[in-house]
């Protein structure tokens, strides 16, 4: 999903570039805030990949917020190198194991979430607020461990 050289970048680097290129193309009257979080579901528990000292997290539901993970940390990012560093630091905390088919086979499901909030001034002086969320999901390796060891 990450890919290699600039020509062969995967969906994640292309997504980061698209988001930040889109932000830079807007005028200064529109303000942006980007937050990202990274969680792992491993052995039926939820872990915060950006805060290795956190305890197991809980899935909650609220009428106004919807479904969310209580206590999940969010990091504000302002550039492509910054968001790549955040993702890399979280990826280093994932549960992986080697198999014959894949030396870095993921043993967990992971979700990297990018929240984009915008604020734009209207002619009447009020502010127009918008928010969106993008979830990049990495599912656990599907190799059969008994056959690949």
């Amino acid at each position: 999903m990450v890919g290699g050289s600039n020509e062969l970048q995967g969906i994640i680097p292309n997504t980061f570039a698209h988001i930040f290129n889109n932000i830079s193309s807007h005028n200064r009257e529109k303000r942006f805030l980007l937050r990202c979080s990274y969680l792992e579901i491993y052995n039926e528990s939820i872990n915060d990949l950006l805060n290795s000292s956190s305890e197991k997290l809980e899935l909650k539901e609220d009428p106004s917020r919807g479904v969310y993970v209580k206590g999940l940390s969010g990091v504000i990012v302002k550039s492509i190198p910054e968001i790549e560093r955040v993702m890399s630091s979280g990826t280093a905390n994932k549960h992986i194991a080697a198999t014959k088919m894949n030396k870095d086979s993921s043993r967990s499901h992971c979700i990297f979430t990018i929240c984009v909030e915008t604020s734009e001034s209207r002619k009447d002086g009020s502010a127009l607020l918008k928010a969106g969320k993008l979830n990049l999901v990495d599912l656990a390796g599907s190799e059969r461990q008994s056959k690949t060891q």
Side-chain angles (χ1 to χ4, degrees):
M1 288 180 34
V2 175
S5 67
N6 285 345
E7 288 179 12
L8 300 174
Q9 289 188 107
I11 192 167
I12 292 172
N14 282 317
T15 299
F16 294 166
H18 180 78
I19 290 169
F20 284 99
N21 288 339
N22 193 307
I23 289 171
S24 66
S25 71
H26 285 287
N27 59 27
R28 299 223 182 250
E29 292 176 18
K30 193 169 200 175
R31 301 179 71 202
F32 290 85
L33 175 68
L34 269 71
R35 277 180 295 114
C36 53
S37 60
Y38 204 179
L39 68 83
E40 171 185 58
I41 303 168
Y42 179 70
N43 284 341
E44 299 183 20
S45 60
I46 302 170
N47 305 308
D48 188 341
L49 292 175
L50 300 179
N51 183 1
S52 57
S53 65
S54 74
E55 295 182 18
K56 292 182 174 117
L57 304 174
E58 294 181 24
L59 197 61
K60 297 286 186 180
E61 188 171 4
D62 180 83
S64 60
R65 284 180 73 180
V67 178
Y68 68 98
V69 178
K70 184 179 179 183
L72 183 64
S73 60
V75 177
I76 294 173
V77 292
K78 297 178 181 174
S79 66
I80 293 173
E82 224 177 309
I83 197 169
E84 287 174 339
R85 275 193 302 275
V86 169
M87 181 169 238
S88 292
S89 71
T91 300
N93 294 325
K94 287 172 58 172
H95 287 87
I96 60 170
T99 66
K100 288 181 181 177
M101 292 177 68
N102 183 354
K103 71 178 181 73
D104 294 321
S105 181
S106 178
R107 296 284 140 231
S108 60
H109 303 302
C110 297
I111 304 171
F112 187 82
T113 302
I114 304 168
C115 296
V116 180
E117 298 175 17
T118 64
S119 173
E120 189 172 11
S121 298
R122 293 181 172 173
K123 291 180 183 177
D124 65 2
S126 64
L128 175 64
L129 303 173
K130 295 180 184 178
K133 197 181 276 190
L134 175 65
N135 293 304
L136 301 169
V137 179
D138 180 18
L139 299 176
S142 62
E143 304 94 2
R144 293 188 179 196
Q145 285 186 326
S146 62
K147 291 185 178 184
T148 58
Q149 301 169 345

